[in-house]
């Protein structure tokens, strides 16, 4: 037991390894359908008017995502709600990212709030050609390409838990980031692994944003 | 062969096989045989055999006893609907024996038979007809009321349905959401053609077929039909956009084309409910052959023409030896040809188009002879009727259609004018013609369904944010759908000699006419009074005959009589499929793994799993009162509030005042609803100029967040406040006890001295090396205590540091139970425990908090009136005179005349005082401190208790202020 | 299951929403009589036909919506954010 603080995501890990001060799962999946706990990613929550200067400054509106560099390395900016954004960055960059966003929004004159929710939310990533099939077992959203193409952000109920669902394909393979209240993270992982088993869903370790 | 129907008993010789030589359209695999048992006797089947086809091939003719009168029943339709073949398979009751395929090792038995299928004692019901008179439920069991439980027991012994096992079976159920462009209900020629046309037009299609193969009636047709079937199946197979679901059924059509599909063809899954949001629905169920009502029409050996054609052509089973056929249509004539080809002697064909027909069937336990309307009596073991068709318009009715009776074709037909844009009908439910005309019509319907689906999809996409490309090049000109009319058919429903209308519910023609004579002259009333159409087939076989009989009895036409309402579900679905996989969200704190490792007894509190205690809650209480304890209070609701208008918001939602809360200060507040009822409480701290952290009760966290947003968004959208739920962003740990300062000081550089960090203050700082922690100095337990909110990822780290660094101080983890005792000793009420849905603010004893001089706050008028009336109950402390008796919560408090004057809301044995203490809501007359009251315990004993102040321990509150 | 046309998220299953209640003005607490206040709390028109009501999209955009719905057909004529000018309501619909 060390006195150095160690951070942990919401999903139990087995076996564990430590990366960047975070205890993460050491497993590396070999299959084509995977679930990983991406909770170590920095998660900064932004509130601002739905359609004003802040939106222009963040570069994306409700329902879509964009990759950007706000000065802290590559981040994923997600239009997660009307007047709500979620900015995802590399682990341990939340403080700098928050400051960079505050600076960027300061000039707008709009009423804005920037909050670090890194520790307050769980973030899972489900990747694979069968990912939409797994989601279709627990969510009423149409995950077809015509309705939910890459770069779509939406919020809905996933296995009875309100979840931000972000389609963020990985090298042409469908991939979904699932963002929930931290305390629901373990439940959601279980709720996906159970129906995902017939499709060969496997747990894999933290992958990061790239 | 004996004409007495029989199941093969051990003393009987095996009946000669009724299996025919190979048939062109047969669906059985003769190369293999699979074993199964029927009422314990070994049998074999070929793969593809249904349970009843395999048994019929072995000469079995009776499968069940009927519901009310326990009459022997054989095959009637030889498909899913067959009312004579509800069987028990293993631990699964009510299996459709004429539909379910035999699997190796299946144990099949008859239901509703005691002691055996052959010697059914309950058949005495047939002799006790008066006992089961029309409407017998209502007439017989209505009085006297106290005998209802006895009636229930008697009835239970006599009703059908098989046996269910109390154990959770191996069955697996599942759900799936689907978003097809087009759902086609029915995989006959029309369904297949429509699906292919829709898929070719670019639509994604789900083609749903109840049977085990596509094809509908083509499957048991002649060579030309089989050729057409092969062609249509090839076309379906060639379309990747069609998902074929066999042994599956559309269970209902709901608002906005939400279509339920029960899917039973999945390996490893017993039944899956597909929740399909179909852009368009094509209803193509074909036609259902209608039974004819005459005396003896339920005798084993009386079958529909489609039943014998299925048995001969699909399963190669000879349905009898000597047949009489009553035919009113070409399909009946084809049945004659099939019977002759199968070697059945056709003793007579009664052409109903020439007004010839059957009036009575004779036999005991099975058909022996047929009596015609010309007075002939013909020996036969098989009577085949082909007297008309019913269009199963159920899904169309559920879409708003009201079918119209067409006397020319003797059936109800859909009214296209009443169908919504997203529902279309194809095939024989619309009209019947040759296969070519059906296919041509269905193809047009399929193209039109795809076109409409495209339009609906574009509209939906245009209504979603940041729509993707919405240019969809599909043709928007409506497709011209050729007309398809029902063929003329004589109106044939009943011979007028009695007989059964509803084979599932044992409702006879006489029951219907009796009901009308007793005044139940509407078809809906007749249905409820006689239970006609209320059995497992849900009217698919019975409704039109029942309507015709009501019409005849009332002297009205069938069109005037109308039909009963066809509601979902179309076909029974298991409760397991409706439930699917259990999805009950649970929440865990970051310290959950520690609690589990240290023997915590889990407590389910709403969605949260919390430690109730770690073995000895009383010891945990003493540790807090004498040393230091830590408790995981992560579920406490937390809302981050930012913006210049936060004070206005707090003033509106809390009953007390908030304008002057300084930075670094914490205040307790209570929220009431507009009816003045207490809804939540908690402390709110001011972290910065425009930055506040509000806490709520654990159970109220979600409700309060929605409440705050409601007032902001609906009533005050101009206020500049941003609310973010941060309940689980922090791991919350309460460090409580006289030595809590000493422990915490070892892990933080925040100045904890009484002068620097006084009671009801908030600070931020690092704890155990973790920055950005929020520390409140508050006291729910009544001891010196600090509630620390740690960024959740570090919760376990900080918890473990507190335990490690407090070892020499005797630090003890405590659970919810110890906390409940500690707060009860201090007299703090719990919203929802000591208050309920009627407890207004002044009853809860927060008189000092409620500021009626504020211009406005939620619930103000009601609270002002409550105080003005001054007749409300009070929340008081309560101590039983005998301190060893803890009156259970919800024990009643009696007034002087023995009436109810209140109740115990909380009670525990106090480890600190060594006696029972409690809180109670009590009428104001008895609420004065020192009043002695009678408490009635749940076991009926009365005890005496004394009303006290709510605070039982440290009334001056000195311990928490040190 | 009916679809509700959320002005933010598009058509969604009604189970994603919480039905809040009929929308109506909140009486002035300074002058209100008990009769008027209880009418506000408990008395609803509950028509068979068009009604303006509030729904909360709890599993979606988390916005309160002012919805005009025909209770006989479930047809939704309009659905707008309660914070927008088009929804001139001044009280939460479920204040009890």
């Amino acid at each position: 037991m060390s006195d150095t603080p160690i951070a942990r995501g919401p999903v139990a890990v087995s076996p564990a390894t430590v990366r960047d001060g975070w205890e993460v799962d050491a497993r590396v999946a070999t299959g084509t359908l995977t679930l990983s706990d991406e909770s170590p990613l920095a998660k900064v929550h932004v509130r601002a008017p739905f359609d004003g200067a802040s939106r222009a400054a963040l570069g994306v509106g409700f329902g879509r995502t964009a990759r950007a560099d706000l000065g802290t390395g590559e981040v994923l900016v997600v239009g997660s709600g009307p007047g709500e954004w979620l900015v995802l960055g590399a682990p341990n960059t939340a403080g700098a990212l928050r400051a960079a966003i505050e600076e960027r929004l300061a000039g707008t004159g709009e009423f804005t709030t920037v909050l670090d929710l890194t520790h307050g939310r769980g973030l899972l990533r489900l990747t694979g050609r069968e990912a939409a099939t797994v989601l279709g077992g627990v969510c009423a959203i149409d995950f077809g390409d015509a309705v939910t193409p890459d770069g779509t952000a939406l919020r809905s109920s996933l296995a009875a838990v309100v979840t931000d669902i972000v389609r963020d394909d990985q090298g042409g393979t469908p991939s979904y980031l699932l963002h929930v209240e931290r305390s629901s993270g373990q439940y959601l992982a279980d709720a996906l692994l159970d129906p995902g088993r017939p499709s060969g869903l496997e747990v894999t370790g933290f992958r990061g944003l790239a | 062969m004996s004409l007495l129907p029989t199941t093969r008993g051990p003393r009987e010789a095996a009946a000669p096989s009724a299996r025919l030589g190979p048939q062109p359209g047969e669906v059985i695999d003769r190369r293999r045989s699979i074993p199964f048992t029927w009422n314990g006797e070994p049998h074999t089947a070929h793969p593809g055999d249904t349970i009843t086809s395999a048994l019929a091939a072995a000469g079995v003719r009776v499968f069940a006893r009927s519901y009310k009168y326990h009459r022997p029943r054989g095959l009637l339709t030889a498909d899913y609907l067959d009312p004579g073949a509800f069987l028990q398979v293993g631990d699964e009751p009510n299996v459709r024996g004429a539909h379910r395929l035999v699997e190796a090792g299946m144990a099949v038995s008859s239901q509703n038979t005691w002691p055996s299928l052959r010697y059914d004692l309950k058949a005495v019901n047939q002799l006790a007809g008066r006992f089961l008179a029309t409407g017998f439920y209502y007439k017989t069991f209505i009085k006297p009321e106290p005998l209802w439980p006895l009636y229930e027991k008697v009835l239970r012994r006599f009703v059908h349905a098989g046996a269910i096992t109390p154990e959770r079976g191996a069955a697996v159920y599942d759900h799936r959401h689907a978003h097809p462009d087009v759902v086609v209900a029915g995989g006959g020629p029309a369904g297949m053609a429509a699906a292919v046309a829709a898929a070719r037009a670019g639509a994604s299609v789900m083609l749903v077929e109840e049977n085990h193969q596509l094809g509908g009636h083509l499957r048991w047709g002649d060579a030309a039909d089989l050729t057409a079937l092969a062609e249509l199946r090839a076309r379906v197979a060639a379309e990747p956009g069609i998902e074929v679901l066999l042994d599956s059924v559309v269970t209902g059509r709901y608002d906005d084309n939400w279509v339920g599909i029960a899917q039973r063809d999945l390996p490893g899954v017993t039944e899956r409910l597909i929740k399909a949001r179909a852009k368009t629905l094509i209803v193509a169920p074909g036609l259902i052959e209608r039974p004819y009502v005459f005396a003896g029409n339920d005798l084993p050996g009386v079958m529909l023409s489609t039943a014998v054609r299925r048995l001969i052509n699909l399963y190669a089973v000879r349905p009898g030896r000597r047949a009489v056929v009553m035919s009113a249509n070409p399909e009946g004539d084809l049945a004659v040809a099939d019977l002759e080809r199968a070697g059945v002697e056709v003793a007579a064909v009664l052409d109903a188009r020439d007004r010839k027909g059957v009036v009575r069937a004779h036999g005991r336990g099975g058909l022996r002879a047929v009596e015609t309307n010309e007075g002939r009596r013909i020996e036969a073991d098989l009577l085949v009727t082909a007297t008309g068709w019913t269009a199963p318009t159920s899904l169309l009715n559920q879409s708003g259609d009201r079918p119209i009776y067409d006397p020319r074709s003797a059936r109800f037909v859909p009214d296209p004018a009443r169908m919504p844009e997203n529902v279309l009908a194809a095939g024989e439910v619309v009209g019947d013609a040759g296969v070519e005309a059906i296919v041509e019509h269905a193809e047009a319907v399929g193209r039109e369904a795809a076109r409409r689906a495209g339009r609906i999809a574009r509209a939906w996409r245009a209504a979603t944010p940041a729509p993707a490309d919405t240019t969809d090049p599909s043709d928007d000109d409506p497709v011209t759908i050729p007309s398809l009319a029902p063929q003329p058919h004589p109106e044939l429903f009943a011979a007028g000699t009695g007989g059964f209308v509803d084979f599932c519910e044992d409702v006879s023609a006489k029951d219907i006419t009796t009901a009308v004579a007793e005044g139940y002259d509407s078809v809906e009333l007749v249905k409820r009074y006689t239970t006609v159409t209320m059995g497992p087939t849900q009217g698919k076989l019975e409704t039109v005959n029942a309507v015709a009989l009501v019409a005849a009895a009332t002297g009205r036409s069938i069109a005037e009589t109308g039909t009963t309402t066809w509601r979902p579900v179309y076909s029974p679905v298991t409760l397991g499929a409706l439930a699917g996989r259990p999805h009950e969200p649970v929440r865990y704190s970051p310290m959950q793994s520690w609690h589990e490792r240290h023997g915590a007894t889990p407590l389910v509190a709403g969605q949260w799993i919390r430690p109730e205690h770690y073995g000895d809650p009383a010891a945990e209480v003493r540790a807090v009162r004498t040393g230091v304890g830590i408790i995981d209070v992560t579920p406490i609701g937390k809302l981050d509030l930012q913006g210049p208008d936060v004070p206005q918001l707090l003033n509106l939602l809390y009953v007390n005042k908030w304008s002057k809360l300084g930075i670094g200060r914490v205040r307790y507040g209570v929220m009431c609803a507009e009816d003045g009822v207490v809804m939540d409480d908690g402390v709110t701290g001011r972290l910065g100029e425009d930055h506040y952290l509000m806490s709520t009760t654990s159970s109220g966290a979600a409700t309060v967040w929605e409440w705050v947003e409601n007032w902001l968004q609906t009533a005050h959208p101009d206020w500049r406040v941003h609310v973010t739920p941060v309940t689980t962003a922090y791991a919350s740990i309460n460090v409580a006890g006289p030595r809590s300062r000493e422990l915490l000081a070892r892990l933080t550089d925040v100045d904890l001295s009484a002068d620097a960090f006084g009671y009801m203050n908030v600070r931020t700082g690092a704890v155990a090396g973790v920055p950005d922690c929020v520390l409140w100095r508050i006291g729910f337990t009544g001891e010196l205590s600090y509630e620390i909110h740690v960024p959740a990822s570090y919760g376990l780290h900080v918890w473990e540091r507190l335990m490690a660094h407090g070892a020499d101080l005797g630090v003890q983890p405590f659970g919810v139970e110890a906390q409940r005792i500690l707060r009860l000793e201090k007299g703090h009420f719990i919203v929802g425990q000591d208050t309920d849905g009627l407890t207004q603010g002044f009853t809860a004893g927060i008189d000092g908090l409620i500021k009626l001089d504020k211009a406005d706050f939620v619930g103000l008028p009601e609270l002002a009136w409550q105080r003005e009336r001054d007749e409300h109950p009070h929340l008081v402390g309560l101590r039983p005179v005998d301190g060893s008796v803890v009156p259970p919560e919800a024990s009643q408090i009696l007034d002087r005349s023995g009436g109810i004057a209140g109740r115990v809301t909380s009670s525990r044995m106090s480890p600190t005082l060594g006696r029972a203490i409690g809180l109670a809501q009590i009428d104001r007359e008895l609420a004065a401190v020192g009043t002695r009251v009678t408490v009635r315990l749940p076991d009926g004993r009365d005890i005496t208790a004394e009303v006290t102040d709510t605070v039982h321990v440290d009334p001056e509150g000195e311990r928490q202020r040190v | 299951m009916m679809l509700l046309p959320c002005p933010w998220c598009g058509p969604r299953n009604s189970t994603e929403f919480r039905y809040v209640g009929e929308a109506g003005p909140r009486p002035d607490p300074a002058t209100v009589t008990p009769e008027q206040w209880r009418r506000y709390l408990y008395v609803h028109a509950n028509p068979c036909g068009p009604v303006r009501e509030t729904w909360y999209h709890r599993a979606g955009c988390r916005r309160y919506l002012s919805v005009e719905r025909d209770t006989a057909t479930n047809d939704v004529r309009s659905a707008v954010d309660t914070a927008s000018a088009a929804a001139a309501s001044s009280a939460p619909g479920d204040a009890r």
Side-chain angles (χ1 to χ4, degrees), chain A residues 72-89:
Chain A
T72 61
E74 188 181 58
V75 296
L76 184 68
V77 185
V78 178
S80 56
E84 268 183 60
W85 289 260
L86 174 69
V87 186
L88 301 174

Side-chain angles (χ1 to χ4, degrees), chain C residues 19-74:
Chain C
Y19 177 71
V20 178
E22 284 179 22
R26 180 176 188 246
D28 179 0
T31 58
V32 71
T33 65
E35 158 73 19
Q36 291 164 335
W37 189 257
R38 278 150 199 175
R39 189 160 285 280
Y40 154 63
L41 289 181
Y42 307 118
V43 180
H44 308 289
N46 195 24
C48 179
V51 62
R52 198 159 68 82
E53 54 197 14
T54 306
W55 292 73
Y56 177 58
H57 196 181
R58 70 195 310 266
C61 57
R62 292 179 173 142
R63 299 296 303 176
Y64 283 83
L65 308 175
S66 180
V67 174
E68 205 183 330
R69 182 178 65 103
D70 189 318
T71 58
T73 61
N74 276 341

Side-chain angles (χ1 to χ4, degrees), chain B residues 275-350:
Chain B
K275 304 169 173 187
R277 180 68 74 181
K279 281 154 207 113
T280 52
L281 169 67
I282 298 175
V283 179
L287 293 173
I288 293 172
E289 190 168 26
R290 195 157 62 219
Y292 189 52
V293 182
F294 57 93
N297 65 341
D298 69 326
L299 282 169
V302 179
M303 292 188 206
L304 303 183
S305 75
T306 43
V308 298
R309 298 188 70 201
R310 286 184 189 108
L311 287 172
I312 294 168
N313 296 307
L314 297 180
Y315 306 109
V317 170
R318 192 187 57 240
R321 292 185 167 272
R322 183 177 155 87
V324 172
V325 181
M326 173 182 176
S327 172
N329 52 48
E331 289 77 11
D333 303 342
L334 289 168
V336 175
D338 281 342
L339 287 167
E340 284 173 341
R341 197 165 47 76
V344 178
E345 179 193 347
V346 178
V349 176
L350 310 170

Side-chain angles (χ1 to χ4, degrees), chain B residues 232-488:
Chain B
L232 282 166
R233 281 182 179 164
R235 283 190 217 165
V236 170
E239 290 301 327
I242 302 178
E243 180 178 1
V244 178
L245 301 166
L246 297 174
D247 193 8
S248 300
V249 64
V250 172
T251 60
R253 187 269 183 190
Y254 302 83
D255 279 334
D256 295 309
N257 257 11
W258 193 92
V259 174
I261 301 169
Q263 182 185 10
R264 305 179 183 115
D265 68 341
L266 273 180
V269 176
T270 310
E271 194 167 42
R272 173 159 83 172
L273 182 66
I274 300 177
K275 304 169 173 187
R277 180 68 74 181
K279 281 154 207 113
T280 52
L281 169 67
I282 298 175
V283 179
L287 293 173
I288 293 172
E289 190 168 26
R290 195 157 62 219
Y292 189 52
V293 182
F294 57 93
N297 65 341
D298 69 326
L299 282 169
V302 179
M303 292 188 206
L304 303 183
S305 75
T306 43
V308 298
R309 298 188 70 201
R310 286 184 189 108
L311 287 172
I312 294 168
N313 296 307
L314 297 180
Y315 306 109
V317 170
R318 192 187 57 240
R321 292 185 167 272
R322 183 177 155 87
V324 172
V325 181
M326 173 182 176
S327 172
N329 52 48
E331 289 77 11
D333 303 342
L334 289 168
V336 175
D338 281 342
L339 287 167
E340 284 173 341
R341 197 165 47 76
V344 178
E345 179 193 347
V346 178
V349 176
L350 310 170
D351 193 329
R353 290 154 291 199
D354 292 340
R355 304 187 176 281
K356 293 182 179 133
V358 57
V359 291
R360 252 181 211 94
H362 296 281
R364 253 184 73 94
L367 180 68
R368 282 188 161 177
V370 175
E371 189 181 326
T372 74
N373 59 358
E374 294 172 317
R376 288 169 67 200
R377 185 186 165 102
I378 309 163
E379 301 287 316
D381 69 341
L382 179 63
L383 168 58
V384 179
T385 65
T387 56
W389 308 97
T390 294
T393 54
S394 181
L395 292 171
L396 299 170
N397 295 40
Q398 292 164 28
S399 314
D401 182 27
R402 292 216 194 109
I404 305 158
Y405 182 70
D406 171 26
R408 218 180 111 267
S409 61
R411 65 186 198 237
F412 285 86
V413 294
D415 177 3
R418 296 188 69 116
M419 269 147 54
E421 186 208 3
N422 54 12
V423 178
L424 301 94
E428 294 183 317
V429 73
V430 179
D432 39 356
V435 174
E436 276 176 35
I438 292 274
V439 165
E440 187 195 350
H441 173 267
E443 283 174 343
V445 169
R447 284 197 303 275
E448 176 64 5
R451 185 191 71 84
R452 293 186 195 175
R455 206 168 67 192
I456 291 166
R458 287 198 298 279
W460 285 355
R461 285 207 296 276
T464 51
D469 179 25
T470 55
T471 54
D472 194 333
S474 78
D475 179 10
D476 237 5
D477 291 332
V479 176
T480 306
I481 297 172
S483 68
L484 187 65
Q487 296 297 303

Side-chain angles (χ1 to χ4, degrees), chain A residues 1-5, chain B residues 594 627-630 735 739-748 767-770 788 796-813:
Chain A
M1 204 157 56
S2 137
D3 269 353
T4 311
Chain B
W594 192 95
V628 59
I630 62 174
V735 187
R739 306 194 77 171
S740 56
R741 181 180 285 139
E742 193 178 347
L743 169 57
L744 192 54
R746 296 175 181 180
L747 288 165
T748 181
V767 177
V770 177
I788 54 179
L796 181 58
H797 166 79
V798 172
W799 179 273
E800 287 179 337
R801 295 280 83 65
L802 284 165
M803 288 304 298
H805 289 263
D808 61 316
L809 304 175
V811 65
Q812 168 88 39

Side-chain angles (χ1 to χ4, degrees), chain B residues 155-198:
Chain B
L155 279 171
R156 279 250 175 90
R157 286 203 64 127
F158 280 84
V159 297
H160 63 152
I164 53 166
T165 158
E167 276 97 55
R168 188 196 159 111
V172 173
Y173 298 97
D174 200 8
H175 279 179
R176 173 191 161 196
H177 297 272
H179 305 268
D181 291 325
V182 180
V183 166
V184 183
M192 288 192 286
V196 168

Side-chain angles (χ1 to χ4, degrees), chain B residues 617-626 736-738 779-783 814 816-830 834 876-879 883 886 889 905-920 948-960:
Chain B
E620 293 167 19
V621 168
R622 284 190 289 270
V624 172
R625 290 269 180 251
T626 59
F780 196 51
T781 60
E783 297 298 326
F814 65 105
V816 174
E817 176 59 17
Q819 189 196 38
R820 290 201 147 212
I821 298 170
L822 288 159
R823 68 90 205 176
L824 180 59
E825 290 180 340
K826 283 296 294 177
H828 294 305
F829 69 83
I830 294 178
D834 303 296
V876 299
L878 200 68
R879 291 188 183 192
V886 181
E889 287 164 356
T905 61
S906 289
S907 57
R908 288 290 189 280
M909 179 60 70
S910 162
T912 309
L913 301 175
R915 70 167 348 278
I917 57 170
L919 286 175
T948 66
D949 188 79
T950 52
V951 188
H952 295 284
V953 170
D954 185 27
E956 288 76 36
E958 284 166 359
R959 300 175 67 86
Q960 62 197 17

